[in-house]
Amino acid sequence: MLDALQRPLESLRVSVTDRCNLRCAYCMPEEEYHWLPRTHLLSYEEIARLAAAFRDLGVRRLRLTGGEPLLRRNLAGLVELLDFEDLALTTNGVLLAAQARELREAGLHRVTVSLDTLRPDRFRELARRDSLEQVLEGIAAARREFGGLKLDTVVMRGVNEDELAELLAFARSMNAELRFIEYMDVGGATRWSPERVLSRTEILERVGPAEPLPGRGSAPAERFALADGQVFGIVASTTAPFCADCDRARLTADGRLFTCLYATRGTDLRQPLRSGESREQLVERLRTVWGARSDRGAEERTALRRRGSFVSLEELRQNPHLEMHTRGG
Ligand code: SAM
Ligand code: SF4
Ligand code: SF4
């Protein structure tokens, strides 16, 4: 199944909730948000039915995300219903220690935890909650249950740019592969400015000599090895986007399909699902949407001469589907 730019549909990110127990400055800088109505949230059975239709079309990798996915009750119950070659979870880790074992037993393959700092005061400032200790416990639990994990760090100039070496050392001690993520101007990042971005080039300069590793494929991260063999990644969505290889679709918790992180319009799948469409009909619907896809949002953003936040706070208030925490990062 190829889109209009000949890109296959191979991975799906499913947001299971738009709610979150942190307020990261780059994602949810406000305290209050307009949440999706509860009656609109897909049940686990509904998510599983849609996921199966995506699988019929060629999706091999599924990632659960949010908002904070572990806020949704009994997430392991959803994991049990999903059958994919690669089944992963992205979480802020706050609630992971209590759930890691049941998630693995339910069939989850891998976990990525977002970790931007190891300093409690900085964490409090950046995420506006005092939860670093729970996150670290969650990371330790993921290591125990899954043997290792990935860690995602959004690098912001003037915020955590001085912690790259410490984060790498921590990742090594946890058998984790760390990925540095450039600060993106996605919906929700209303405080974004180009000056705040630490680019891929600057990250590499700070980390020290590193060899690029081959075989990236459609993965967002370029991987590198340090002289001591430690492998890390960089996701350079802001300065060196990878839209040409993007094989990812996104499903919101209320059943809307987005074909790009920057897409302003999605396709409602909840209504057809709830009106009883068959799996074949749903597959046809997905085929039509993906076949017409020509998004290359990050590349278009990079080409802009003057660049600020993608969406204003006003627009976000009117259309929460534009928020990164709604469409699933
Ligand atoms: N709450 C979970 C978490 O934080 O891992 C999952 C959802 S969160 C939206 C998914 C990822 O998006 C996180 O790794 C987060 O760091 C990233 N993210 C959110 N806003 C971003 C931004 N403005 N630039 C870069 N990455 C961002
Ligand atoms: Fe932070 Fe993830 Fe919550 Fe966004 S959704 S505020 S990145 S924890
Ligand atoms: Fe894919 Fe859109 Fe991100 Fe480009 S901006 S990599 S097309 S999701």
Side-chain angles (χ1 to χ4, degrees), residues 19-24 26-28 66-68 92 114 325:
R19 294 177 185 250
C20 191
N21 44 2
L22 299 182
R23 287 289 181 277
C24 304
Y26 49 75
C27 178
M28 299 183 78
E68 174 45 41
N92 62 29
S114 301
H325 72 263

Side-chain angles (χ1 to χ4, degrees), residues 13 20 24 26-27 64-69 90-93 112-114 116 152-154 181-186 189 192 324-325 328-329:
R13 299 176 82 102
C20 191
C24 304
Y26 49 75
C27 178
L64 298 171
T65 180
E68 174 45 41
T90 295
T91 169
N92 62 29
T112 300
V113 178
S114 301
D116 303 320
D152 276 358
T153 301
V154 178
I181 302 179
E182 286 181 351
Y183 185 14
M184 289 185 258
D185 57 349
V186 283
W192 187 92
M324 176 83 149
H325 72 263

Side-chain angles (χ1 to χ4, degrees), residues 38-100:
R38 282 192 184 272
T39 54
H40 289 188
L41 296 191
L42 300 184
S43 67
Y44 287 169
E45 287 69 25
E46 288 173 327
I47 293 176
R49 274 177 61 205
L50 281 180
F54 277 99
R55 202 187 49 212
D56 286 351
L57 261 190
V59 167
R60 297 182 294 116
R61 299 185 301 273
L62 186 143
R63 179 173 292 275
L64 298 171
T65 180
E68 174 45 41
L70 297 181
L71 283 177
R72 187 90 188 239
R73 197 168 310 143
N74 183 29
L75 191 68
L78 172 60
V79 169
E80 272 171 13
L81 302 178
L82 300 171
D83 178 18
F84 283 84
E85 207 176 296
D86 182 28
L87 185 54
L89 167 74
T90 295
T91 169
N92 62 29
V94 176
L95 300 172
L96 185 57
Q99 299 186 42

Side-chain angles (χ1 to χ4, degrees), residues 77-224:
L78 172 60
V79 169
E80 272 171 13
L81 302 178
L82 300 171
D83 178 18
F84 283 84
E85 207 176 296
D86 182 28
L87 185 54
L89 167 74
T90 295
T91 169
N92 62 29
V94 176
L95 300 172
L96 185 57
Q99 299 186 42
R101 173 161 302 170
E102 61 194 52
L103 287 165
R104 179 183 53 73
E105 287 174 354
L108 188 73
H109 301 143
R110 307 189 289 124
V111 176
T112 300
V113 178
S114 301
L115 178 74
D116 303 320
T117 179
L118 291 162
R119 302 181 193 175
D121 52 336
R122 188 172 278 178
F123 187 98
R124 214 175 300 125
E125 210 169 300
L126 190 58
R128 304 215 309 287
R129 300 288 185 272
D130 199 4
S131 312
L132 178 62
E133 207 172 308
Q134 285 121 284
V135 173
L136 297 179
E137 283 166 13
I139 291 170
R143 189 214 177 155
R144 262 196 317 277
E145 295 299 331
F146 295 89
L149 67 155
K150 283 199 176 132
L151 291 173
D152 276 358
T153 301
V154 178
V155 188
M156 297 167 80
R157 195 187 301 283
V159 176
N160 59 350
E161 59 176 317
D162 56 348
E163 263 191 87
L164 308 191
E166 281 155 78
L167 285 159
L168 278 169
F170 174 74
R172 190 186 304 123
S173 75
M174 286 290 146
N175 196 29
E177 187 168 316
L178 183 72
R179 301 183 316 168
F180 295 117
I181 302 179
E182 286 181 351
Y183 185 14
M184 289 185 258
D185 57 349
V186 283
T190 46
R191 315 234 164 124
W192 187 92
S193 73
E195 298 76 38
R196 275 286 162 104
V197 178
L198 200 76
S199 70
R200 166 192 180 281
T201 312
E202 290 170 298
I203 293 170
L204 279 172
E205 275 165 16
R206 281 169 206 221
V207 167
E211 279 295 314
L213 297 176
R216 176 183 186 183
S218 63
E222 288 172 83
R223 296 167 82 231
F224 300 86

